[in-house]
Amino acid sequence: MMRTGRPRTFDREAAVSQAMHLFWEHGYESTSLAQLKAAIGRGITAPSFYAAFGSKEALFREAVDRYLTTHGRVTDSLWQADLPPRVAIETALLRSARMQCEPGHPQGCMVALGVMTACSAANKPLMQLLADSRQRTRSGLQRCLARGVETGELRRNSDIPALTVAFDGFLLGISTLARDGIPLAAIEGGITQIMTLWDNNRADNLPRQAAGQ
C-alpha cells in the first residue's frame, strides 16, 4: 500500500500572505528562505516548503499576484470610464496613500518599493512583474489625461507626457514618505497640491472637480 505524505501543518493561504508581507518589507533578494519558513509556521522543512510552493521564485510570483489582486487595486479608478478623469486620478492617489499608511502590513507600496531594491542581473526578469504593474498604472494616468483632453476638460495643448510623469512620480514617491513616517494628512495635502497641475491645464470654462464631489 502506497504511503501518502504527511499533511501540511500550515494554512497555505495565510502562508502566501505572510510571504507577501516579507517580500513587501524587505524585497525579493533580501528575504531569505529561513525568514519565509519562520513566517509560514513552526516545523516546516525545506522539502515541505518546496513541495508546497515549488521555489522561492514561484512563491514570490504568487505573493505579487496576491498583492495586485488585493492592496494593489487602489488604482482601479484610473480605468473607470464612468468617473470624470480628474476624479479618477485624485481617487487613485488618495486610495493609494491611505493604503500605504494603514496599519496591519508594511508601509509603502510593494510595487513601487520593488524598483528601489537592489537586484542581481539573474533576478531582473522576475522584477518585470512589478515593472509591468508600474507601467499599467502609468498607462492609466496617461489614459485619464488624454480623456480629459478629449472631453474638453483639459486644454488641447496640455503636455500629456509631462503631466503623466508628474502624477506618476508623486504616486511612486508616496512609498518613501510612508516608510519615513510622514503623516497621512500631510500626504493628502500634497495630493491636493499635485492636483493643481490638472487645474492649471483645464479649459477656462469648466469648474474644478474633486474626488467625492
Side-chain angles (χ1 to χ4, degrees), residues 2-199:
M2 185 175 63
R3 296 177 62 187
T4 58
R6 293 175 60 188
R8 291 175 185 159
T9 58
F10 61 91
D11 181 330
R12 194 180 189 286
E13 290 299 303
V16 173
S17 293
Q18 290 294 331
M20 177 187 70
H21 286 178
L22 282 173
F23 289 130
W24 186 348
E25 179 71 29
H26 304 291
Y28 176 72
E29 292 193 346
S30 296
T31 300
S32 68
L33 180 60
Q35 288 175 303
L36 290 169
K37 290 195 299 179
I40 289 171
R42 295 177 57 186
I44 187 171
T45 63
S48 59
F49 173 88
Y50 289 116
F53 303 108
S55 66
K56 176 184 172 183
E57 176 182 335
L59 178 55
F60 178 76
R61 291 180 182 277
E62 196 167 345
V64 169
D65 183 69
R66 174 70 56 83
Y67 180 88
L68 294 178
T69 55
T70 54
H71 304 284
R73 297 198 62 183
V74 289
T75 56
D76 279 1
S77 61
L78 298 175
W79 304 96
Q80 290 181 239
D82 59 322
L83 286 180
R86 185 191 189 281
V87 173
I89 291 176
E90 188 173 20
T91 298
L93 294 175
L94 288 169
R95 287 177 177 171
S96 183
R98 290 162 186 168
M99 181 278 290
Q100 294 188 54
C101 292
E102 69 188 4
H105 58 67
Q107 303 295 280
C109 167
M110 184 179 182
V111 171
L113 292 167
V115 79
M116 305 173 194
T117 305
C119 183
S120 66
N123 288 321
K124 281 186 178 179
L126 187 58
M127 296 300 106
Q128 190 63 41
L129 294 169
L130 303 180
D132 289 345
S133 179
R134 291 191 295 272
Q135 180 57 50
R136 185 177 188 278
T137 298
R138 202 170 296 124
S139 296
L141 290 166
Q142 186 173 25
R143 178 176 178 271
C144 287
L145 290 160
R147 193 156 59 92
V149 172
E150 291 167 4
T151 59
E153 296 173 55
L154 293 177
R155 296 195 302 265
R156 295 191 64 82
N157 64 347
S158 297
D159 191 339
I160 300 302
L163 288 169
T164 300
V165 168
F167 285 119
D168 186 46
F170 185 90
L171 180 59
L172 291 171
I174 292 175
S175 285
T176 57
L177 297 174
R179 283 281 173 106
D180 283 345
I182 302 302
L184 175 60
I187 299 175
E188 290 180 334
I191 292 171
T192 298
Q193 293 300 313
I194 200 71
M195 291 309 302
T196 62
L197 291 176
W198 179 289
D199 301 329

